[in-house]
Amino acid sequence: MTSQTDNAPKIVFPCDRYLIKIVGDAHPEYKPFVASVLVKYDLKVTIESFTENPSKNGRFVSLNVWMRIEEEAHLSLLFDELKVNPMVKMVL
């Protein structure tokens, strides 16, 4: 018997189109901070690379960006770098 995780698609690295979603405070420094972290892992990421979805009350902003991830370890590193900032609430 196989589990659902055994049948899940495997990500092959390097991965040219990996979707990162970051939810954080609607603050003027939030988006530049996120871009400054992600550009360390993909030089093509800019502030213009993001799609933004503000929350209904305008308190939070969800940022989505497709980027290149060279190796699986980079995901943990960039997630940790993003999460140290109190403006960042969630990274997916």
Side-chain angles (χ1 to χ4, degrees):
M1 180 174 193
T2 62
S3 71
Q4 288 183 351
T5 55
D6 292 338
N7 296 328
K10 304 294 182 211
I11 299 170
V12 178
F13 294 94
C15 180
D16 284 326
R17 287 194 37 90
Y18 192 92
L19 179 62
I20 304 284
K21 296 182 179 193
I22 309 101
V23 178
D25 294 328
H27 187 282
E29 295 176 18
Y30 167 62
K31 197 169 165 184
F33 166 75
V34 171
S36 74
V37 171
L38 297 185
V39 75
K40 294 177 189 178
Y41 301 94
D42 182 348
L43 295 175
K44 294 181 181 177
V45 173
T46 66
I47 287 179
E48 291 78 28
S49 302
F50 296 103
T51 57
E52 282 185 56
N53 296 310
S55 65
K56 189 165 75 170
N57 67 5
R59 184 172 172 210
F60 300 104
V61 176
S62 171
L63 300 175
N64 300 327
V65 63
W66 290 95
M67 61 184 289
R68 179 178 172 85
I69 301 293
E70 291 292 329
E71 55 189 78
E72 190 172 2
H74 288 171
L75 289 174
S76 295
L77 292 171
L78 74 86
F79 278 36
D80 290 344
E81 262 189 88
L82 289 167
K83 289 193 257 180
V84 298
N85 189 308
M87 288 185 292
V88 176
K89 304 304 180 199
M90 187 176 6
V91 182
L92 305 169

